[in-house]
Amino acid sequence: MTRDDRFYAFVIARTSRSRAHIRRICVHKRWLKVSLLGLVVIMAALMYGFYGLTQQAEHLRIERENARLRAQNAKQLQELQKLNSRVNAVEDTSRKLAEMSGIEATEQTTPRGQGGPARPVDSAAALSALESKTARLERQMWIYQEMVRGHGMIPSIWPVDGELEGGFGGRRNPFGGRGFEFHEGQDIDAEYGDPVIAAGNGRVTIAGRQRGYGNVVYIDHGAGLSTRYGHLSQINVAVGQSVTRGQKIGLVGSTGRSTGPHLHYEVRINNQPVDPKRYLPGAAH
């Protein structure tokens, strides 16, 4: 008996006279299998093509990101090279200016007003480490000075008329205590009630009473530079106020941690104290 591999489909159609007519349609199973196989192949090809497109898009995205990172790294390297060149140039200039000035330190007699906030240290070695760190910060100062030169933001005048007393750096406790302390500013001896002025253009960030400082004014000069004026008997500015170089901001006093009337003056770079003498014209360095 011969096997019939054909696949049959029957369609029944009716005529207008209601006579049934049967029409037979047959499809060989072999062609049905070939058609299904072709459909599977086409679907697989479409899926592979879609996967390839997604992978190509991801590859392009990664390439663009890598190119952006390479450009960013190149830009940062260029800026770092410029910064290094600026540091070298500024340090050379500072050395030449120091050699040309030929200023000698002025001997002080009996100290009068001293004090101000200080960082206690427990040994001479710790004090030496603090002073070394400060020396590095002072070298960075020249970078900021170049950035804001000509805009009046560099503190470059004396904040009060007076004489230098307790200096910046390591010292004995002026209140008679034992051990050393790190003085974060420069004491300038002056008469009670003498006017205190802003050493550069800037904006007042703090104007009030603080521990150690007594009545104090903070001024932000921009580019990481700021100054502090402590022990005031009177404050004449408010927080948020813009001030100009030479503008009166308060009066000399002896509030806070102080042995007598004087101004505690600080200069800071990125909130780290540096020696204010570099910013006091004519002061010995």
Side-chain angles (χ1 to χ4, degrees), residues 3-187:
R3 180 181 177 184
D4 189 357
D5 290 332
R6 291 174 295 178
F7 173 81
Y8 294 92
F10 299 92
V11 177
I12 300 176
R14 293 182 180 276
T15 64
S16 59
R17 297 178 182 181
S18 299
R19 295 177 60 184
H21 175 73
I22 300 175
R23 183 179 179 182
R24 185 176 63 180
I25 301 174
C26 61
V27 180
H28 201 284
K29 289 183 179 180
R30 180 187 304 168
W31 295 111
L32 183 60
K33 292 179 179 178
V34 170
S35 299
L36 289 175
L37 180 61
L39 181 61
V40 170
V41 171
I42 292 173
M43 292 297 296
L46 290 174
M47 293 177 65
Y48 180 78
F50 178 75
Y51 175 77
L53 289 175
T54 57
Q55 290 299 308
Q56 184 177 7
E58 179 66 14
H59 178 72
L60 291 175
R61 186 191 68 79
I62 294 174
E63 282 295 323
R64 287 195 297 269
E65 181 66 16
N66 289 338
R68 185 186 68 81
L69 291 175
R70 285 193 295 269
Q72 184 177 357
N73 289 338
K75 183 178 179 181
Q76 291 177 349
L77 179 60
Q78 185 179 10
E79 291 177 350
L80 179 60
Q81 291 173 345
K82 289 181 180 179
L83 183 61
N84 288 334
S85 299
R86 181 180 298 173
V87 170
N88 293 333
V90 172
E91 287 184 343
D92 289 341
T93 302
S94 66
R95 284 193 295 267
K96 291 177 181 178
L97 290 174
E99 292 173 358
M100 293 172 60
S101 63
I103 300 173
E104 298 294 336
T106 303
E107 293 186 359
Q108 298 292 330
T109 56
T110 306
R112 287 178 285 179
Q114 295 189 49
R119 188 184 311 175
V121 291
D122 55 5
S123 68
L127 181 61
S128 177
L130 281 173
E131 290 177 338
S132 296
K133 178 182 179 181
T134 301
R136 291 194 299 270
L137 290 170
E138 288 176 349
R139 288 194 293 270
Q140 296 175 11
M141 173 268 296
W142 300 105
I143 303 173
Y144 293 94
Q145 181 167 333
E146 285 296 308
M147 292 172 60
V148 295
R149 185 185 298 276
H151 296 282
M153 296 180 180
I154 295 294
S156 58
I157 61 175
W158 286 60
V160 67
D161 290 332
E163 298 179 357
L164 300 181
E165 292 293 344
F168 178 84
R171 69 177 184 181
R172 292 283 184 180
N173 190 327
F175 293 88
R178 295 182 179 180
F180 297 94
E181 64 180 22
F182 189 84
H183 190 219
E184 298 182 337
Q186 173 65 57
D187 290 337

Side-chain angles (χ1 to χ4, degrees), residues 179-238:
F180 297 94
E181 64 180 22
F182 189 84
H183 190 219
E184 298 182 337
Q186 173 65 57
D187 290 337
I188 304 177
D189 186 71
E191 296 295 329
Y192 189 94
D194 282 353
V196 177
I197 60 176
N201 298 345
R203 183 177 61 87
V204 177
T205 56
I206 289 180
R209 193 173 185 89
Q210 285 197 347
R211 182 178 180 181
Y213 291 101
N215 294 327
V216 64
V217 171
Y218 290 13
I219 298 179
D220 179 12
H221 302 282
L225 276 169
S226 62
T227 51
R228 299 183 180 185
Y229 311 78
H231 306 316
L232 303 177
S233 61
Q234 179 177 309
I235 295 176
N236 297 109
V237 290

